[in-house]
Amino acid sequence: MTPTKTTDLKAGPSSTDEFIKGLWRENPVFVQVLGMCPVLAVSNSAINALAMGLATAFVLIMSNILVSSLRNFIPKQVRIASYILIIATFVTMVDYAIQAISVDLHKNLGAFISLIVVNCLILSRAEAFASKNTIGKSALDALGMGLGFVFALFCLGAVREILGNGSIFGFMIFPESFQEWIIMILPAGGFFTLALWLFLFNNYKLKKAKA
Amino acid sequence: MKSESLWYIFINASLINNFVLAYFLGICPFLGVSGKMETATKMGAAVTFVMIISSVCAYGIHALLVAINAPFLQLISYIVVIAATVQLVEMVIKKMSPALFRSLGIFLPLITTNCAILAVALFQTAKGYSFFGSLAFALGAGVGFTLALILMAGIREQLDFADVPKVVKGTVITLLVAGILSLTFMGFSGLGS
């Protein structure tokens, strides 16, 4: 939440910058460590991770746009409650949409679609960015953050599915004799995979800082 | 499903399918306020309290929504009730113990966006628990959350004295410890069945 504020204070970062920062420099998962619950819970296969990421990104974009366009009308005291209502409305829409598109997918993701409401990432973008910036900038910010979130979820989901199931998107990529690492698709594997990715990120950052 | 005793629901929610370590619910406060034992205990108590109240409210709301045939309002009404409960708890804590209020900091209002609480409301509806079943479920979830938080805080207090390499300091080492905790909790699976 805090890194954004410093960006806001800088003399008008360009629109592309608002978009790019979410993808890499301020990646919501790897750098800001926000919205962890769905990241860990549904990343046990690449397709689940991708669907969850896209659903979250959609809610993020729509709610950022709406919050930004209403930012002059919402009284300060009730802003958080209003944001949550806005987010809950979009999540209900997504929930019914996914149910209509694929019942299987809806079953796999289970309650976690509804739980997008309480994804700290969305609320933090509404509070830290959309409530202070124009509609266009908020949309770009949400798009960047959303794609960054999808990217991170996919990274986790792919690693867990490849190691835990020997497949990617349901296609087997290892020979039959491959011994699956069952632990990777169990809850503990989620923690370990995320730790691994954060480790790689930290390593890269430290090396860069030294150079 | 119907034969589940209250005791089984409680054990299931607290140990076998621990909310934090098996369902990954409430990870944000789990990683955020598990640094100190004292804060962890009180945070756990606050979350458990909010869980029980919102579980009771959710049970009533669900019955009402079924009666007026408007299930699509479920999510919105649950979250409003939770937000109101959190506001209440916040005011009580601020009045009773300003020191605790400060040490919980931003994580107190963030209980609203603690997925564990909304999940209790959603899961109990999905599983169709009775009134007392819901209560046992909420209590179990709260106890499980507190247990995970306290275990984590205990380990992290010891970690402060350990020589941790710079590259894994902070979130990475916490996640690794959480993973190992999650593995140990897997030992509970099969309990009571």
Side-chain angles (χ1 to χ4, degrees):
Chain A
M1 275 173 244
T2 31
T4 337
K5 273 176 194 153
T6 48
T7 332
D8 289 346
L9 292 176
K10 268 191 233 156
S14 69
S15 311
T16 33
D17 195 49
E18 301 294 4
F19 175 64
I20 300 288
K21 70 166 195 274
L23 286 180
W24 186 253
R25 203 177 66 243
E26 287 178 24
N27 187 290
V29 176
F30 293 142
V31 181
Q32 300 190 62
V33 200
L34 283 176
M36 284 296 103
C37 314
V39 169
L40 292 165
V42 297
S43 62
N44 50 9
S45 78
I47 188 76
N48 282 359
L50 210 56
M52 186 65 189
L54 289 175
T56 312
F58 170 77
V59 175
L60 182 59
I61 294 169
M62 297 312 282
S63 59
N64 243 18
I65 291 176
L66 200 62
V67 165
S68 170
S69 54
L70 291 174
R71 69 184 185 282
N72 295 326
F73 301 102
I74 297 178
K76 205 168 177 305
Q77 295 83 352
V78 293
R79 66 182 196 287
I80 301 283
S82 327
Y83 299 160
I84 292 217
L85 280 185
I86 291 173
I87 296 167
T89 314
F90 285 117
V91 172
T92 309
M93 281 162 57
V94 168
D95 192 20
Y96 279 88
I98 291 183
Q99 211 166 356
I101 295 167
S102 161
V103 179
D104 282 344
L105 191 62
H106 190 263
K107 218 186 255 163
N108 279 342
L109 296 177
F112 283 95
I113 304 171
S114 308
L115 289 174
I116 296 178
V117 180
V118 284
N119 190 325
C120 5
L121 168 65
I122 298 177
L123 193 66
S124 90
R125 292 328 289 169
E127 165 76 1
F129 199 93
S131 61
K132 300 186 191 101
N133 287 284
T134 57
I135 300 176
K137 266 191 182 174
S138 303
L140 278 175
D141 172 75
L143 195 63
M145 285 290 165
L147 286 179
F149 190 73
V150 173
F151 167 70
L153 260 176
F154 179 72
C155 284
L156 256 90
V159 167
R160 287 180 73 183
E161 196 183 340
I162 290 171
L163 292 178
N165 233 346
S167 63
I168 181 85
F169 289 118
F171 297 110
M172 297 305 288
I173 51 168
F174 286 123
E176 291 266 312
S177 57
F178 174 72
Q179 181 69 47
E180 297 102 343
W181 303 11
I182 300 291
I183 185 160
M184 292 313 270
I185 38 176
L186 292 175
F191 286 115
F192 290 138
T193 319
L194 184 63
L196 177 78
W197 279 108
L198 285 174
F199 169 78
L200 291 176
F201 249 68
N202 279 356
N203 200 14
Y204 171 77
K205 263 194 290 185
L206 280 181
K207 277 213 176 113
K208 216 178 158 194
K210 259 186 211 156
Chain B
M1 198 60 93
K2 268 173 205 144
S3 62
E4 283 182 19
S5 66
L6 295 183
W7 180 238
Y8 177 74
I9 293 176
F10 176 78
I11 292 291
N12 188 29
S14 59
L15 294 179
I16 304 171
N17 285 316
N18 184 285
F19 264 50
V20 179
L21 298 166
Y23 282 150
F24 303 111
L25 297 163
I27 295 288
C28 300
F30 178 63
L31 298 180
V33 288
S34 61
K36 279 209 196 79
M37 183 66 98
E38 206 197 337
T39 332
T41 321
K42 286 170 179 167
M43 181 72 180
V47 167
T48 310
F49 178 71
V50 177
M51 264 179 186
I52 292 172
I53 295 200
S54 53
S55 155
V56 171
C57 296
Y59 186 80
I61 291 173
H62 180 66
L64 184 72
L65 287 181
V66 168
I68 62 169
N69 202 11
F72 49 86
L73 283 177
Q74 178 179 312
L75 195 56
I76 296 180
S77 35
Y78 281 4
I79 197 81
V80 170
V81 167
I82 292 170
T85 321
V86 171
Q87 198 77 56
L88 186 79
V89 171
E90 199 180 342
M91 284 192 294
V92 169
I93 292 185
K94 200 174 181 180
K95 192 95 184 163
M96 306 262 276
S97 161
L100 174 62
F101 183 74
R102 270 195 305 277
S103 64
L104 288 178
I106 180 71
F107 285 100
L108 198 52
L110 280 185
I111 296 182
T112 313
T113 53
N114 183 336
C115 14
I117 291 169
L118 183 62
V120 167
L122 288 171
F123 284 172
Q124 74 177 34
T125 316
K127 290 186 178 174
Y129 285 146
S130 67
F131 180 75
F132 288 106
S134 307
L135 216 54
F137 185 63
L139 191 65
V143 168
F145 180 81
T146 315
L147 187 66
L149 210 60
I150 290 176
L151 282 175
M152 195 67 190
I155 296 174
R156 279 180 77 177
E157 279 187 347
Q158 298 298 313
L159 262 183
D160 284 344
F161 303 110
D163 185 19
V164 180
K166 201 177 167 197
V167 70
V168 294
K169 236 181 189 140
T171 322
V172 180
I173 189 82
T174 315
L175 282 171
L176 286 175
V177 171
I180 295 166
L181 266 183
S182 167
L183 271 183
T184 54
F185 266 71
M186 272 169 55
F188 287 119
S189 62
L191 199 71
S193 60

PDB file of all heavy atoms in Angstrom, chain B residues 9 50 61-62 66 78 82 101 109 114-115 124 134-135 156 162 164 167 179 189 193:
ATOM      1  N   ILE B   9     -17.795 -31.187  14.074  1.00  0.00           N
ATOM      2  CA  ILE B   9     -17.722 -29.936  13.307  1.00  0.00           C
ATOM      3  C   ILE B   9     -16.632 -29.043  13.890  1.00  0.00           C
ATOM      4  O   ILE B   9     -15.825 -28.454  13.162  1.00  0.00           O
ATOM      5  CB  ILE B   9     -19.084 -29.202  13.333  1.00  0.00           C
ATOM      6  CG1 ILE B   9     -20.123 -30.015  12.565  1.00  0.00           C
ATOM      7  CG2 ILE B   9     -18.961 -27.808  12.738  1.00  0.00           C
ATOM      8  CD1 ILE B   9     -21.509 -29.426  12.612  1.00  0.00           C
ATOM      9  N   VAL B  50     -15.499 -11.841  16.343  1.00  0.00           N
ATOM     10  CA  VAL B  50     -16.195 -11.365  15.148  1.00  0.00           C
ATOM     11  C   VAL B  50     -16.785 -12.541  14.375  1.00  0.00           C
ATOM     12  O   VAL B  50     -17.903 -12.472  13.869  1.00  0.00           O
ATOM     13  CB  VAL B  50     -15.235 -10.564  14.242  1.00  0.00           C
ATOM     14  CG1 VAL B  50     -15.935 -10.141  12.965  1.00  0.00           C
ATOM     15  CG2 VAL B  50     -14.707  -9.348  14.959  1.00  0.00           C
ATOM     16  N   ILE B  61     -29.635 -14.097   8.358  1.00  0.00           N
ATOM     17  CA  ILE B  61     -29.771 -13.478   7.036  1.00  0.00           C
ATOM     18  C   ILE B  61     -30.104 -14.520   5.980  1.00  0.00           C
ATOM     19  O   ILE B  61     -30.956 -14.311   5.122  1.00  0.00           O
ATOM     20  CB  ILE B  61     -28.467 -12.746   6.657  1.00  0.00           C
ATOM     21  CG1 ILE B  61     -28.267 -11.536   7.545  1.00  0.00           C
ATOM     22  CG2 ILE B  61     -28.498 -12.306   5.196  1.00  0.00           C
ATOM     23  CD1 ILE B  61     -26.935 -10.874   7.342  1.00  0.00           C
ATOM     24  N   HIS B  62     -29.415 -15.685   6.094  1.00  0.00           N
ATOM     25  CA  HIS B  62     -29.651 -16.724   5.098  1.00  0.00           C
ATOM     26  C   HIS B  62     -31.116 -17.161   5.127  1.00  0.00           C
ATOM     27  O   HIS B  62     -31.761 -17.293   4.081  1.00  0.00           O
ATOM     28  CB  HIS B  62     -28.726 -17.912   5.344  1.00  0.00           C
ATOM     29  CG  HIS B  62     -28.913 -19.016   4.364  1.00  0.00           C
ATOM     30  ND1 HIS B  62     -28.597 -18.862   3.027  1.00  0.00           N
ATOM     31  CD2 HIS B  62     -29.408 -20.264   4.501  1.00  0.00           C
ATOM     32  CE1 HIS B  62     -28.890 -19.982   2.396  1.00  0.00           C
ATOM     33  NE2 HIS B  62     -29.380 -20.851   3.249  1.00  0.00           N
ATOM     34  N   VAL B  66     -33.661 -16.663   1.974  1.00  0.00           N
ATOM     35  CA  VAL B  66     -34.377 -17.799   1.389  1.00  0.00           C
ATOM     36  C   VAL B  66     -35.876 -17.501   1.391  1.00  0.00           C
ATOM     37  O   VAL B  66     -36.582 -17.776   0.423  1.00  0.00           O
ATOM     38  CB  VAL B  66     -34.066 -19.096   2.163  1.00  0.00           C
ATOM     39  CG1 VAL B  66     -35.021 -20.202   1.751  1.00  0.00           C
ATOM     40  CG2 VAL B  66     -32.627 -19.519   1.911  1.00  0.00           C
ATOM     41  N   TYR B  78     -23.856 -10.272   3.751  1.00  0.00           N
ATOM     42  CA  TYR B  78     -22.879 -10.829   4.684  1.00  0.00           C
ATOM     43  C   TYR B  78     -21.771  -9.825   4.965  1.00  0.00           C
ATOM     44  O   TYR B  78     -21.379  -9.610   6.100  1.00  0.00           O
ATOM     45  CB  TYR B  78     -22.241 -12.109   4.109  1.00  0.00           C
ATOM     46  CG  TYR B  78     -23.091 -13.347   4.231  1.00  0.00           C
ATOM     47  CD1 TYR B  78     -24.374 -13.287   4.751  1.00  0.00           C
ATOM     48  CD2 TYR B  78     -22.604 -14.580   3.837  1.00  0.00           C
ATOM     49  CE1 TYR B  78     -25.146 -14.419   4.858  1.00  0.00           C
ATOM     50  CE2 TYR B  78     -23.373 -15.718   3.939  1.00  0.00           C
ATOM     51  CZ  TYR B  78     -24.649 -15.632   4.442  1.00  0.00           C
ATOM     52  OH  TYR B  78     -25.403 -16.761   4.538  1.00  0.00           O
ATOM     53  N   ILE B  82     -20.535  -8.108   8.510  1.00  0.00           N
ATOM     54  CA  ILE B  82     -19.180  -8.274   9.040  1.00  0.00           C
ATOM     55  C   ILE B  82     -18.529  -6.922   9.284  1.00  0.00           C
ATOM     56  O   ILE B  82     -17.923  -6.685  10.330  1.00  0.00           O
ATOM     57  CB  ILE B  82     -18.337  -9.135   8.081  1.00  0.00           C
ATOM     58  CG1 ILE B  82     -18.858 -10.564   8.085  1.00  0.00           C
ATOM     59  CG2 ILE B  82     -16.886  -9.108   8.495  1.00  0.00           C
ATOM     60  CD1 ILE B  82     -18.266 -11.428   7.018  1.00  0.00           C
ATOM     61  N   PHE B 101      -5.091  -1.370  21.001  1.00  0.00           N
ATOM     62  CA  PHE B 101      -5.607  -0.744  19.781  1.00  0.00           C
ATOM     63  C   PHE B 101      -4.447  -0.305  18.888  1.00  0.00           C
ATOM     64  O   PHE B 101      -4.460  -0.514  17.682  1.00  0.00           O
ATOM     65  CB  PHE B 101      -6.487   0.456  20.154  1.00  0.00           C
ATOM     66  CG  PHE B 101      -7.122   1.127  18.979  1.00  0.00           C
ATOM     67  CD1 PHE B 101      -8.179   0.523  18.315  1.00  0.00           C
ATOM     68  CD2 PHE B 101      -6.663   2.353  18.531  1.00  0.00           C
ATOM     69  CE1 PHE B 101      -8.764   1.133  17.231  1.00  0.00           C
ATOM     70  CE2 PHE B 101      -7.237   2.968  17.448  1.00  0.00           C
ATOM     71  CZ  PHE B 101      -8.294   2.355  16.789  1.00  0.00           C
ATOM     72  N   PRO B 109      -9.057  -2.795  11.480  1.00  0.00           N
ATOM     73  CA  PRO B 109     -10.067  -2.595  10.433  1.00  0.00           C
ATOM     74  C   PRO B 109      -9.960  -3.630   9.328  1.00  0.00           C
ATOM     75  O   PRO B 109     -10.954  -3.965   8.688  1.00  0.00           O
ATOM     76  CB  PRO B 109      -9.786  -1.188   9.904  1.00  0.00           C
ATOM     77  CG  PRO B 109      -8.473  -0.795  10.454  1.00  0.00           C
ATOM     78  CD  PRO B 109      -8.247  -1.586  11.684  1.00  0.00           C
ATOM     79  N   ASN B 114     -10.735  -9.869   6.254  1.00  0.00           N
ATOM     80  CA  ASN B 114     -10.137 -11.157   6.572  1.00  0.00           C
ATOM     81  C   ASN B 114     -11.016 -12.231   5.944  1.00  0.00           C
ATOM     82  O   ASN B 114     -12.172 -12.404   6.328  1.00  0.00           O
ATOM     83  CB  ASN B 114     -10.088 -11.317   8.087  1.00  0.00           C
ATOM     84  CG  ASN B 114      -9.414 -12.588   8.508  1.00  0.00           C
ATOM     85  OD1 ASN B 114      -9.364 -13.549   7.741  1.00  0.00           O
ATOM     86  ND2 ASN B 114      -8.883 -12.597   9.700  1.00  0.00           N
ATOM     87  N   CYS B 115     -10.465 -12.942   4.982  1.00  0.00           N
ATOM     88  CA  CYS B 115     -11.321 -13.885   4.259  1.00  0.00           C
ATOM     89  C   CYS B 115     -11.869 -14.958   5.172  1.00  0.00           C
ATOM     90  O   CYS B 115     -12.927 -15.511   4.925  1.00  0.00           O
ATOM     91  CB  CYS B 115     -10.606 -14.531   3.088  1.00  0.00           C
ATOM     92  SG  CYS B 115      -8.868 -14.329   3.049  1.00  0.00           S
ATOM     93  N   GLN B 124     -20.714 -22.192   6.104  1.00  0.00           N
ATOM     94  CA  GLN B 124     -21.802 -22.740   6.922  1.00  0.00           C
ATOM     95  C   GLN B 124     -23.096 -22.748   6.119  1.00  0.00           C
ATOM     96  O   GLN B 124     -23.923 -23.643   6.272  1.00  0.00           O
ATOM     97  CB  GLN B 124     -21.962 -21.959   8.225  1.00  0.00           C
ATOM     98  CG  GLN B 124     -22.596 -20.589   8.037  1.00  0.00           C
ATOM     99  CD  GLN B 124     -22.790 -19.892   9.351  1.00  0.00           C
ATOM    100  OE1 GLN B 124     -21.988 -20.044  10.265  1.00  0.00           O
ATOM    101  NE2 GLN B 124     -23.833 -19.108   9.467  1.00  0.00           N
ATOM    102  N   SER B 134     -23.599 -24.181  13.090  1.00  0.00           N
ATOM    103  CA  SER B 134     -22.913 -22.971  12.638  1.00  0.00           C
ATOM    104  C   SER B 134     -22.076 -22.388  13.757  1.00  0.00           C
ATOM    105  O   SER B 134     -20.937 -21.949  13.550  1.00  0.00           O
ATOM    106  CB  SER B 134     -23.914 -21.919  12.179  1.00  0.00           C
ATOM    107  OG  SER B 134     -24.786 -22.449  11.245  1.00  0.00           O
ATOM    108  N   LEU B 135     -22.660 -22.399  14.948  1.00  0.00           N
ATOM    109  CA  LEU B 135     -21.965 -21.834  16.100  1.00  0.00           C
ATOM    110  C   LEU B 135     -20.682 -22.625  16.383  1.00  0.00           C
ATOM    111  O   LEU B 135     -19.611 -22.049  16.583  1.00  0.00           O
ATOM    112  CB  LEU B 135     -22.902 -21.882  17.315  1.00  0.00           C
ATOM    113  CG  LEU B 135     -22.823 -20.712  18.278  1.00  0.00           C
ATOM    114  CD1 LEU B 135     -23.016 -19.399  17.546  1.00  0.00           C
ATOM    115  CD2 LEU B 135     -23.868 -20.871  19.369  1.00  0.00           C
ATOM    116  N   ARG B 156       8.237 -17.485  15.468  1.00  0.00           N
ATOM    117  CA  ARG B 156       8.897 -16.268  14.971  1.00  0.00           C
ATOM    118  C   ARG B 156       9.668 -15.536  16.062  1.00  0.00           C
ATOM    119  O   ARG B 156      10.676 -14.890  15.780  1.00  0.00           O
ATOM    120  CB  ARG B 156       7.869 -15.350  14.326  1.00  0.00           C
ATOM    121  CG  ARG B 156       7.566 -15.779  12.908  1.00  0.00           C
ATOM    122  CD  ARG B 156       6.557 -14.894  12.268  1.00  0.00           C
ATOM    123  NE  ARG B 156       7.129 -13.621  11.847  1.00  0.00           N
ATOM    124  CZ  ARG B 156       6.428 -12.702  11.196  1.00  0.00           C
ATOM    125  NH1 ARG B 156       5.169 -12.899  10.907  1.00  0.00           N
ATOM    126  NH2 ARG B 156       7.000 -11.582  10.822  1.00  0.00           N
ATOM    127  N   ALA B 162      17.757 -16.228  15.611  1.00  0.00           N
ATOM    128  CA  ALA B 162      18.509 -17.089  14.712  1.00  0.00           C
ATOM    129  C   ALA B 162      19.210 -16.248  13.640  1.00  0.00           C
ATOM    130  O   ALA B 162      18.809 -15.124  13.358  1.00  0.00           O
ATOM    131  CB  ALA B 162      17.571 -18.085  14.047  1.00  0.00           C
ATOM    132  N   VAL B 164      19.483 -15.700  10.240  1.00  0.00           N
ATOM    133  CA  VAL B 164      18.797 -16.004   8.983  1.00  0.00           C
ATOM    134  C   VAL B 164      19.508 -15.274   7.840  1.00  0.00           C
ATOM    135  O   VAL B 164      19.798 -14.093   7.961  1.00  0.00           O
ATOM    136  CB  VAL B 164      17.322 -15.540   9.054  1.00  0.00           C
ATOM    137  CG1 VAL B 164      16.600 -15.847   7.770  1.00  0.00           C
ATOM    138  CG2 VAL B 164      16.637 -16.195  10.223  1.00  0.00           C
ATOM    139  N   VAL B 167      18.761 -13.022   2.297  1.00  0.00           N
ATOM    140  CA  VAL B 167      17.883 -13.178   1.138  1.00  0.00           C
ATOM    141  C   VAL B 167      16.550 -13.832   1.496  1.00  0.00           C
ATOM    142  O   VAL B 167      15.558 -13.635   0.808  1.00  0.00           O
ATOM    143  CB  VAL B 167      18.617 -13.941   0.011  1.00  0.00           C
ATOM    144  CG1 VAL B 167      18.825 -15.384   0.395  1.00  0.00           C
ATOM    145  CG2 VAL B 167      17.898 -13.820  -1.293  1.00  0.00           C
ATOM    146  N   GLY B 179       4.692 -23.365   5.786  1.00  0.00           N
ATOM    147  CA  GLY B 179       4.592 -24.605   5.023  1.00  0.00           C
ATOM    148  C   GLY B 179       4.837 -25.817   5.900  1.00  0.00           C
ATOM    149  O   GLY B 179       4.110 -26.813   5.832  1.00  0.00           O
ATOM    150  N   SER B 189      -5.392 -35.218   9.622  1.00  0.00           N
ATOM    151  CA  SER B 189      -6.419 -35.682   8.686  1.00  0.00           C
ATOM    152  C   SER B 189      -6.780 -37.129   8.996  1.00  0.00           C
ATOM    153  O   SER B 189      -5.914 -37.950   9.336  1.00  0.00           O
ATOM    154  CB  SER B 189      -5.934 -35.530   7.240  1.00  0.00           C
ATOM    155  OG  SER B 189      -4.809 -36.323   7.044  1.00  0.00           O
ATOM    156  N   SER B 193     -12.908 -39.787  11.736  1.00  0.00           N
ATOM    157  CA  SER B 193     -13.718 -40.404  10.675  1.00  0.00           C
ATOM    158  C   SER B 193     -13.725 -41.919  10.826  1.00  0.00           C
ATOM    159  O   SER B 193     -12.860 -42.470  11.495  1.00  0.00           O
ATOM    160  CB  SER B 193     -13.170 -40.033   9.303  1.00  0.00           C
ATOM    161  OG  SER B 193     -11.847 -40.476   9.174  1.00  0.00           O
TER     162      SER B 193
END
